[in-house]
Amino acid sequence: MMEPQGGIRHPLNPRALYTPDDGGTVRVTMGTRWGRFHGDGRWIEGPLFEADPELCLWVAAPRPTGHHRISRLMDMPAER
């Protein structure tokens, strides 16, 4: 199963998915809870009030659309 392009799972809390949102904001989804945050991690709306500011900065940063390093999260088997 593939996550939305540009989404990053938090390395210390894999349930938390950080995805870019419109206007340079970040949407953090953890289970059924979600929150929208500025690029510096300040809360905007939603029932989830805390986010990792460093990961918000990383996800909110502008990226070129056709770059070869743009990747998507995928569930990969443990063995390659």
Side-chain angles (χ1 to χ4, degrees):
M1 179 176 152
M2 292 173 46
E3 303 292 352
Q5 186 164 353
I8 298 175
R9 293 229 176 249
H10 195 285
L12 300 177
N13 184 358
R15 290 185 55 224
L17 176 64
Y18 289 65
T19 52
D21 212 358
D22 295 334
T25 61
V26 178
R27 183 177 178 94
V28 180
T29 308
M30 191 169 11
T32 59
R33 296 177 20 207
W34 63 275
R36 204 169 101 209
F37 299 87
H38 291 280
D40 61 1
R42 286 179 294 131
W43 178 79
I44 299 172
E45 66 175 334
L48 187 64
F49 296 105
E50 293 182 355
D52 183 337
E54 294 294 327
L55 205 48
C56 285
L57 180 65
W58 182 267
V59 171
R63 295 202 175 23
T65 56
H67 197 272
H68 72 281
R69 289 195 169 194
I70 300 297
S71 63
R72 289 175 280 202
L73 289 175
M74 295 188 294
D75 287 332
M76 299 292 290
E79 299 177 30
R80 290 188 184 211

